Amino acid sequence: MSKTIAFLAETRGSATIEEQQAAMSSNAHIIVAGRQSFNKLGDLLARSGLRLEAGDRVSVYDLSCIMISTGTLLRIIGRLLRDGVAFEIVTAGIVIGPAADDKLHALVRAFDSHQRYLHGLKTRPETVARGRKPLLDPEALATIRTRLAQPGATATSVAKSLGVSRSTLFNFLERHERGRRLEQEGRRVE
């Protein structure tokens, strides 16, 4: 059965918690966040023993009650919608549904994409490798070992020629040596 979660938070100039609560649906589960940010919703729900599920609705009195950047707010609303949870702004009488054909949902996606584009945020994390780009290419492992085996070569000189620190070189070699041992033992390398 779907439920409505009323997120009540107070910021300077916003409605009081009591005013917000009076405007909420009588069957809503009230989460009083006080001055906590909207991105703490998950933690507050967990403390109350509640969990959002597809078909649920998160209601806020007004956006002035939420003290986070617009970009972060768009990202959070977008995540709720992707999870099948509707988002409601009570004073404006707006309900953004999770259906892909919902016009307000499409508007939130467009603004979120625009925000990510402007700030260089990755918009397709499933197609982009996470984390930093490796400084050393695993394909160069044999070449690096050959350089280290040359007479008079030192780890410092090889690392310097590769444009990395000695510790980076040693960590790279250790990681690939460990991976090679695991492969020899028949274990899966991750």
Side-chain angles (χ1 to χ4, degrees), residues 15 23-24 60-64 88-94:
M24 295 297 165
V60 296
Y61 178 78
D62 190 73
L63 295 183
S64 66
E88 176 183 25
I89 306 167
V90 174
T91 57
I94 295 173

Side-chain angles (χ1 to χ4, degrees), residues 25-91:
S25 168
S26 61
N27 65 341
H29 296 275
I30 304 294
I31 300 294
V32 178
R35 295 199 179 273
Q36 291 190 55
S37 177
F38 189 61
N39 57 3
K40 300 291 183 192
L41 176 62
D43 297 338
L44 294 167
L45 285 170
R47 280 189 223 144
S48 299
L50 296 170
R51 207 181 107 183
L52 287 174
E53 299 170 340
D56 290 348
R57 176 185 293 191
V58 172
S59 297
V60 296
Y61 178 78
D62 190 73
L63 295 183
S64 66
C65 301
I66 298 176
M67 189 59 108
I68 56 177
S69 72
T70 303
T72 302
L73 178 60
L74 285 168
R75 219 169 15 264
I76 293 170
I77 293 171
R79 191 177 316 127
L80 288 170
L81 295 171
R82 278 190 304 280
D83 292 343
V85 177
F87 182 78
E88 176 183 25
I89 306 167
V90 174
T91 57

Side-chain angles (χ1 to χ4, degrees), residues 74 77-78 81-82 95-114:
L74 285 168
I77 293 171
L81 295 171
R82 278 190 304 280
V95 176
I96 305 171
D101 62 345
D102 183 297
K103 297 293 185 194
L104 291 174
H105 184 166
L107 183 63
V108 168
R109 278 195 319 267
F111 278 132
D112 186 39
S113 293
H114 177 70

